[in-house]
């Protein structure tokens, strides 16, 4: 029922109050990292299909930063060849880091198509709910006794980045997941940052937590997700993948970027001084979200 309702909203959004058809919205380009693991590309394609189901009439394309085709530059060139004037780029990335701050804007700036780059997906309550549901799928019990709660903990396994703001975003998600679960959640990283997953597992065990699950904070299956799952002493949850909430979150970031682009300059609020994550455009930079997007977002429940 939820999907049918979302599709209806998507169709109605194409019609103005006076009954006339609205102008065609700019296409959404989902920017994935890319992976040598074929499961990653299959997962991203499934996510694309779910985005299209939720927003009929919206052109949705895929571009990769590396390792897979089409590359982002090629996707933008193809849009230009079809005389598409502009596009909104939504990073399929979970926080601030080099790809969000440098690689994607640099590629966008070299394109003939006008582009606006949306904020990364995280932190956001929809990610927390997806992590929660993946843990339940892996065997996490929704109701724990006091003794079970005292013995339980979770490692939030992320890819890792040298950018300190990426770690801030991951820690924010870990805090939100801990509130959701009622047990400690320690962030850990597969590369570039510390601690790694095994070190985080030992830290929880040192606190008397022997029921330790690993939550895969990855957008798709791949080497890092597999290595992190192998370090789990108990449960290992699947990556976020093509969960329906991920499609909703991608569209949320798309809508945020469009709203920022269309807002009159005089109506744009002054961003807080601590907001380092802008929504960028090939013609300039305009902040659209606070440093922690989840802090101002309404928690969204995901129907079963």
């Amino acid at each position: 029922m939820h999907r049918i309702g979302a599709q209806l909203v998507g169709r109605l959004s194409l019609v103005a109050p006076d009954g006339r058809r609205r102008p065609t919205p700019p296409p959404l380009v989902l920017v994935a990292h890319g992976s040598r693991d074929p499961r990653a590309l299959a997962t991203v394609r499934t996510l694309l299909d779910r985005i299209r189901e939720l927003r009929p009439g919206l052109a949705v394309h895929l571009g990769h930063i590396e390792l897979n085709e089409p590359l982002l530059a090629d996707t933008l060139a193809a849009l230009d060849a079809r005389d598409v004037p502009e596009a909104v780029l939504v990073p399929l990335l979970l926080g601030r880091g080099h790809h969000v701050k440098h690689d994607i804007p640099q590629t966008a700036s070299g394109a003939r198509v006008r582009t606006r780059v949306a904020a990364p997906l995280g932190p956001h309550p929809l990610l927390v709910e997806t992590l929660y549901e993946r843990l339940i799928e892996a065997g996490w019990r929704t109701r724990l006794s006091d003794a079970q709660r005292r013995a339980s903990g979770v490692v939030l396994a992320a890819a890792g980045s040298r950018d300190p703001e990426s770690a801030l975003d991951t820690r924010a998600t870990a805090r939100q997941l801990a509130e959701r679960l009622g047990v400690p959640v320690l962030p850990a990283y597969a590369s570039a940052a510390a601690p790694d997953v095994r070190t985080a597992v030992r830290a929880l065990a040192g606190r008397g937590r022997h029921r330790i699950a690993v939550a895969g904070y990855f957008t798709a299956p791949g080497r890092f997700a597999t290595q992190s799952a192998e370090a789990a002493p108990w449960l290992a949850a699947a990556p976020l993948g093509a969960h329906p909430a991920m499609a909703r979150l991608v569209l949320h970031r798309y809508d945020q970027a469009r709203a920022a682009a269309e807002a009159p300059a005089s109506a744009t609020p002054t961003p807080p001084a601590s907001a380092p994550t802008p929504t960028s455009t090939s013609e300039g930079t305009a902040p659209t979200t606070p440093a922690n997007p989840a802090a101002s977002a309404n928690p969204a429940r995901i129907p079963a």
Side-chain angles (χ1 to χ4, degrees), residues 27-228:
L28 185 160
V29 178
L30 187 66
V31 185
H33 182 277
S35 172
R36 293 183 177 88
D37 190 320
R39 296 174 299 168
L41 182 55
T43 298
V44 173
R45 285 175 172 162
T46 300
L47 179 60
L48 287 172
D49 290 340
R50 288 188 167 163
I51 294 168
R52 294 181 180 115
E53 288 177 0
L54 290 177
R55 192 70 61 89
L58 174 64
V60 181
H61 303 275
L62 174 62
H64 291 95
I65 297 171
E66 59 182 354
L67 299 176
N68 290 121
E69 295 182 350
L71 293 173
L72 176 58
D74 296 333
T75 297
L76 296 178
L79 291 175
D80 176 62
R82 292 161 50 190
D83 295 324
V84 175
E86 61 179 328
V88 177
L89 279 52
V90 181
L92 187 60
L93 300 167
L94 301 174
R96 295 166 290 177
H98 186 83
H99 293 314
V100 169
K101 295 180 179 181
H102 301 285
D103 292 340
I104 296 175
Q106 182 176 1
T107 300
S109 67
R112 293 169 58 91
V113 175
R114 294 194 308 274
T115 58
R116 178 162 288 267
V117 183
L121 300 186
H124 194 277
L126 284 171
L127 292 175
V128 175
E129 288 301 312
T130 305
L131 289 164
Y132 177 75
E133 291 199 359
R134 293 300 192 212
L135 283 166
I136 292 174
E137 292 169 0
W140 185 273
R141 299 180 65 175
T142 57
R143 294 185 179 181
L144 301 177
S145 67
D146 290 342
Q148 288 173 327
R149 195 174 300 280
R150 288 192 298 269
S152 300
V154 172
V155 173
L156 182 66
S161 169
R162 293 183 177 87
D163 190 316
E165 289 183 335
S166 177
L168 285 175
D169 291 342
T170 303
R171 288 199 293 269
T173 298
R175 287 193 299 270
Q176 294 166 23
L177 184 58
E179 292 174 0
R180 185 72 173 85
L181 295 171
V183 303
V185 176
L186 296 186
Y189 306 96
S191 69
D196 61 19
V197 174
R198 296 186 188 279
T199 300
V201 167
R202 289 195 295 269
L204 284 172
R207 301 181 191 177
R209 308 273 174 173
H210 61 269
R211 291 165 46 91
I212 302 172
V214 172
Y217 197 41
F218 305 98
T219 57
R223 178 167 60 92
F224 286 163
T226 299
Q227 290 176 349
S228 298

